[in-house]
């Protein structure tokens, strides 16, 4: 299985690239129609949730800068 890359974009979506599956709360898989790249909504404004439709433009601000999580307890 290839590695999946997840990118948290500034002021926008979370981009998934690679080999992945997205399921709903009951475990049913979304039909991604063979896509290997999708963007997930972070702002809550998309009319196509959980997928991004660009509705965040001008309505959502977040500078995505990586940081270390504290050690596991």
């Amino acid at each position: 299985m290839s590695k999946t890359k997840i990118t948290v974009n500034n002021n926008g979506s979370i981009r998934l690239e690679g080999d992945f599956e997205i399921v709903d709360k009951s475990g049913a898989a979304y039909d991604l129609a063979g896509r290997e790249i999708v963007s997930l909504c972070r702002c809550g404004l998309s009319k196509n949730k959980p997928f991004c439709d660009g509705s965040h433009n001008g309505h959502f601000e977040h500078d995505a800068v990586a940081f270390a999580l504290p050690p596991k307890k």
Side-chain angles (χ1 to χ4, degrees):
M1 180 180 287
S2 66
K3 190 173 181 179
T4 299
K5 180 179 177 183
I6 301 171
T7 305
V8 181
N9 292 312
N10 283 341
N11 306 324
S13 64
I14 294 177
R15 179 181 168 117
L16 284 79
E17 302 176 61
D19 186 20
F20 56 86
E21 178 181 43
I22 301 175
V23 299
D24 67 12
K25 67 180 182 176
S26 65
Y30 286 88
D31 181 355
L32 303 176
R35 289 175 176 81
E36 295 179 356
I37 299 174
V38 298
S39 292
L40 299 177
C41 176
R42 285 198 304 147
C43 72
L45 299 173
S46 176
K47 292 182 179 35
N48 195 30
K49 286 190 234 32
F51 304 101
C52 178
D53 67 2
S55 293
H56 62 270
N57 288 330
H59 301 285
F60 181 72
E61 292 186 26
H62 175 260
D63 288 330
V65 178
F67 59 90
L69 292 175
K72 289 173 59 173
K73 293 183 180 183

